[in-house]
Each structure stands twice: as C-alpha cells, then as structure tokens.
Amino acid sequence: MSAVYRDSGSIAADDGEVTIRGWVQEIRNLGGISFVIIRDRFGTVQVTLPKKKIDPAVFEGLTSVSRESVVYVTGNVKESNQTDLGLELIPSSFKVISPAAVPLPIGVIDKVNAEMDTRLNNRFMDLRKPEIRAVFELKSILFDLIEEAMRELDFTWVNTPKISGSGAEGGSTLFEVDYFGKPAYLAQSPQLHKQMLMSTGLDRVFELGPAFRAEHSNTNRHVTEFQSFDGEMAWIDSQDDIMATLEKIMDYIFRGMARRGGYFLGLLDKKIRIPKRPYPVLTYSECLRMVRERGLDLKDGEDLGTEGEKIIGDIMAEKDRELYWITEYPEDAKPFYIMEKEGTPFSFSFDLDYKGQEISSGGQREHRYDVLTERMRKKDLDPEDFEHYLDAFKYGMPPHGGWGIGVDRLLTKMLDLPNVREGILFPRDVSRLSP
Ligand code: ATP
C-alpha cells in the first residue's frame, strides 16, 4: 500500500497513486459501476469502482464494507466532471482498519434528525456530521480570538483554582465535593481570585476556563458546566472603562469570526453580523418600562428573566441592534462585591445582552474594605468566611472591575443555534452526566 497520504482537502489531479484515510460514508452500487464515498476532516472523496476494470477482490471487498468503517484506500487520482472535487480515486487496494458495527446508533448523512438526547448519547457519531463539527471548529477560532484580543490589550492570562474551600458568592448553586473528608466546592466563577489579583500589580488579567453551577434550571441556556471568559482590570475611573474595553474585545471577536470562520460558517449556512458600535446602553429602569409596555408585569427590582430579556431583544432587533448593554441594576439584586451607586438604589453593574439573551455580566467592584464588609453583612454573609479574599483588600486595593462571559452562550447565539448544548461537545446538565 502506498504511503503517500492525501486528504480530501489536498488531493490533486497530478498526485498519481495516493492513499486516502477516512470513514466510509456511503456506498452506491449501480451494477457495472459502484461508488464509495470516503469522508475525512476536510470533506469527501469519491472512490469509483468500474467493475470490469478493477481487481474483483477490491470491488467486492470495498463495496461490502459497513458504513462508517475506517478504511485506507489506495489508488490513482483521476479528473472527473461528475464529482464536486473534480477528482475521483480508482482503487487498486484497500484495508479495513476498523469496521463499524451495524446498525449505526444514529445516521450521519440521513436527512431525518435524531432527538437531541439521542444525539448527545451518541455524540461521537453526531460529530461526524460536518455541520455539527463546524460549530467546534468555530469555537476553537473564538477562543483564539479572545486570546489575541486580550494580548493586544495587555491582559495577562491567568488560571485560578477550580476547587476551593468556599464559593464565590456563597450562593446555593455550588457543587459540593468531598475533599479528603472535608467539604470543598467547584468554582462557580473565578470572581474572588481574579479580584484578589487586582491587589498584586498584575493589573489586567483574564481567564478561560470551566465554571460549575448546580442550577436546577432545565432551560436551553443553562448547563451545569460552562466555559467562562473572565476579565478583571485595575485602575479604572468608572465602569465605563470596563465597558469600553469589553466593547473593543467583542468587536475584535465578531470581526475575526466573520473573517476566519468562512468555510465553517458556510457549512452552517450562517453569516456573522458585526454589531454596530457604540453598543446602545439601556438602563435597567428603562428596560422595566419597555417590558411593561409590552404587557409583562415585572415588579420593581425583579430580574428581567428569560421573557423580559427576550422582549428587550425583540425591541432592539426592530432597531437593528443585536448587542446592547443593560446598566444600573438595583444593588440588592447584585452580589456583595458590586459597587453601590451612592444615594440611589442602583449599582455600578452591567449586563451585555445579545439577541435577547444575557451573555455577560460585570461591573465596578467595591474596593473599599469597610464598605465591602458592610455589604457582606447586609447580604447575610459572614466576612469571616471570606478571610483570605478580604485580606487582599486590607493592604491596598486599587479601584477595579471586570466581567464574565459565557463562551458557549456567545457562540450559540452568534450561530443562532437553539440550545446552548449545541455549542458544548459533551454537555452537563441536571439530567446529563455522560458521555
Ligand atoms: P442567568 O441569569 O442567565 O442564569 P447569571 O446571572 O447566573 O445568568 P452570571 O453569574 O452573571 O450569570 O454569569 C456570567 C455569564 O456566564 C452569563 O451571562 C452567561 O453567559 C454565563 N452563564 C452563567 N450561568 C450559566 C449556565 N448555567 N450555563 C451557561 N452559561 C452560563
């Protein structure tokens, strides 16, 4: 067997004899001629088998391999006006490297779509569909772009622990684990650690990593493990500095996705729309008025919720705006570390919403030790439980603020996918812990 390997992306008419490695996607037997379609990472290659012109053992063998088996097929590359590639392979030998069992758990090229649960149970097979795989190629590009944007803006990439003796916000959405006989918790966000870093001189940090939330919400936007893109920056004058930075980052990401995602976006039949800058700023109070006008009866201070966010999304879409800020949330709806807007019931906080869904929240943090501990007490938290965190505020802490973005949500909204699980290879939720 020839060792000149080619794939569907690099095969050429003057290649001579080559070996193609891939999965048997489809076999068509038309009597005197058969076609075997081999799929690899980059697409498909047609292997053409004119019965009379090739070795009978190759003909019989290759046309009876089960679908999705892994094969190596060696043959000559020929031009063809019958295939999309303009090429075909006339086989001289083949090897079945790993036969696929029959029947397949789900189809790869079948038009009928399996239920999401069945697809996720058989994710390895689901991912053989190019348009499903494309989502994860795009996710990889998205991570590259985040990293580039952050380097450009002089942020340092950090890693904070994912397992800790106490949780970020002391909330009920923590997963408890047994840590050598003592309780520990999976990190629901890097919040406390990234803030502690603001007292060190690292000044601008970002992190890409998993966040764990024991959320019982069985919605299309909540999972129990998601990828979080967090940033925190010191020496800010106000939260406007954070919003301006995040806006630059988002713009870089959107432009990058549109430019670099081309081939994979094509597989999904999607175009990335680059949101117009500056992103509009709505206050929470304005949003409350807007949703009430559309018939949703929310009380003062109440979370906008899925329905409220959707209404705002619809109103903004009518104005051709997809990405927008919502600022000035009531301080009592926000965690202890957010700075209050003195003399008002509001806070220096924002959400960034995209097409009717929150994708990020952030704000200016309370850096004054006394005010911070006071806010903790107001929220029924015991400052003693946050000793190590608070130490970082006792000995000189600059004004700072930051954000957290759900990468899976951002990606799925960008691609208009109906469920955040579509953007996660092996999602975890209330009822799913495997594969
Ligand atoms: P929501 O109100 O939508 O539940 P949240 O207010 O709990 O979100 P934050 O704690 O502000 O979310 O987290 C910041 C970002 O992390 C969110 O805007 C979202 O993009 C993402 N995120 C939070 N929780 C989840 C989750 N359970 N699944 C997927 N992404 C999440």
Side-chain angles (χ1 to χ4, degrees):
M1 185 167 278
S2 163
V4 180
Y5 295 124
R6 284 286 180 274
D7 53 53
S8 63
S10 65
I11 193 169
D14 57 3
D15 275 343
E17 191 177 70
V18 300
T19 298
I20 293 280
R21 299 168 291 182
W23 290 264
V24 173
Q25 176 168 291
E26 207 184 341
I27 300 175
R28 291 198 294 268
N29 288 313
L30 305 179
I33 190 160
S34 291
F35 304 102
V36 176
I37 309 297
I38 309 288
R39 186 189 64 250
D40 63 14
R41 179 177 181 182
F42 306 97
T44 56
V45 176
Q46 176 177 294
V47 180
T48 304
L49 300 102
K51 196 167 186 173
K52 292 207 174 118
K53 291 193 190 152
I54 61 167
D55 179 348
V58 172
F59 186 90
E60 289 308 323
L62 198 51
T63 53
S64 50
V65 173
S66 55
R67 282 215 285 177
E68 294 303 317
S69 295
V70 166
V71 294
Y72 285 22
V73 182
T74 300
N76 267 302
V77 182
K78 272 187 50 188
E79 282 189 8
S80 159
N81 52 15
Q82 309 284 317
T83 67
D84 291 345
L85 270 186
L87 300 168
E88 60 187 354
L89 191 76
I90 311 296
S92 49
S93 65
F94 76 98
K95 259 193 205 162
V96 179
I97 302 294
S98 173
V102 180
L104 299 173
I106 53 172
V108 174
I109 52 168
D110 308 69
K111 290 278 174 280
V112 187
N113 272 335
E115 293 285 315
M116 181 150 219
D117 237 20
T118 315
R119 284 178 44 212
L120 292 179
N121 284 337
N122 299 283
R123 194 55 151 165
F124 71 96
M125 187 63 77
D126 189 42
L127 283 159
R128 291 189 189 183
K129 296 182 185 133
E131 69 278 16
I132 303 285
R133 229 167 38 243
V135 174
F136 299 96
E137 298 281 8
L138 289 164
K139 194 172 190 176
S140 175
I141 295 173
L142 178 53
F143 277 113
D144 287 348
L145 291 163
I146 293 174
E147 191 202 331
E148 286 168 24
M150 298 313 276
R151 286 202 191 289
E152 192 67 27
L153 291 164
D154 224 5
F155 278 71
T156 304
W157 191 345
V158 298
N159 305 100
T160 61
K162 297 304 152 215
I163 181 159
S164 269
S166 62
E169 294 156 41
S172 57
T173 55
L174 291 171
F175 280 114
E176 189 174 318
V177 293
D178 175 11
Y179 196 72
F180 305 115
K182 286 193 200 136
Y185 304 93
L186 298 184
Q188 61 180 6
S189 90
Q191 185 65 37
L192 304 192
H193 289 101
K194 65 176 182 170
Q195 280 193 263
M196 288 164 77
L197 293 177
M198 294 301 97
S199 78
T200 66
L202 277 172
D203 279 6
R204 294 181 152 216
V205 301
F206 79 104
E207 177 163 7
L208 291 165
F212 304 92
R213 307 256 170 118
E215 315 221 47
H216 272 274
S217 3
N218 212 344
T219 71
N220 60 9
R221 64 196 185 118
H222 288 105
V223 281
T224 51
E225 178 178 348
F226 64 93
Q227 291 299 318
S228 189
F229 160 34
D230 281 81
E232 200 72 17
M233 49 197 275
W235 314 112
I236 58 169
D237 289 329
S238 75
Q239 73 166 9
D240 293 348
D241 294 345
I242 314 163
M243 290 162 68
T245 304
L246 190 48
E247 192 162 310
K248 276 189 204 149
I249 296 164
M250 294 307 291
D251 193 57
Y252 186 88
I253 293 174
F254 274 96
R255 287 178 190 282
M257 286 294 275
R259 209 172 40 243
R260 278 184 224 170
Y263 171 72
F264 300 112
L265 290 168
L267 289 175
L268 288 161
D269 201 15
K270 278 281 149 231
K271 278 209 162 62
I272 301 283
R273 276 170 54 110
I274 298 162
K276 275 186 247 165
R277 292 177 71 188
Y279 306 154
V281 181
L282 308 167
T283 63
Y284 165 82
S285 307
E286 277 168 351
C287 289
L288 215 51
R289 187 176 43 71
M290 285 154 77
V291 299
R292 283 174 181 159
E293 274 170 19
R294 297 250 169 148
L296 182 66
D297 187 22
L298 289 186
K299 310 220 169 3
D300 285 349
E302 206 176 330
D303 194 69
L304 293 175
T306 313
E307 222 182 318
E309 285 177 18
K310 168 120 190 6
I311 293 173
I312 303 294
D314 291 344
I315 295 172
M316 295 311 280
E318 287 161 20
K319 299 179 179 164
D320 201 24
R321 304 310 286 257
E322 291 183 331
L323 197 58
Y324 42 90
W325 306 100
I326 303 178
T327 60
E328 287 200 2
Y329 277 86
E331 64 79 16
D332 66 349
K334 286 287 166 186
F336 69 83
Y337 48 77
I338 282 287
M339 186 181 269
E340 291 182 20
K341 197 168 180 183
E342 263 158 52
T344 77
F346 304 114
S347 60
F348 288 113
S349 62
F350 59 80
D351 279 0
L352 183 61
D353 279 33
Y354 181 36
K355 299 179 185 170
Q357 195 173 96
E358 178 201 317
I359 54 158
S360 174
S361 69
Q364 176 158 9
R365 321 304 187 183
E366 182 49 71
H367 62 279
R368 295 162 297 182
Y369 179 83
D370 296 343
V371 186
L372 182 60
T373 46
E374 196 43 48
R375 247 183 92 68
M376 280 181 169
R377 286 192 198 93
K378 195 158 116 185
K379 299 213 168 254
D380 288 331
L381 294 168
D382 184 352
E384 280 190 19
D385 293 341
F386 293 85
E387 188 192 347
H388 293 298
Y389 168 72
L390 285 173
D391 278 351
F393 290 76
K394 266 194 207 162
Y395 304 97
M397 173 63 94
H400 64 277
W403 66 86
I405 296 187
V407 178
D408 319 280
R409 265 196 211 173
L410 169 62
L411 175 78
T412 46
K413 273 279 157 189
M414 244 184 207
L415 303 177
D416 295 313
L417 298 171
N419 193 319
V420 70
R421 290 163 185 77
E422 296 281 2
I424 301 174
L425 285 169
F426 300 106
R428 295 287 178 259
D429 61 30
V430 187
S431 50
R432 181 172 289 281
L433 252 182
S434 61

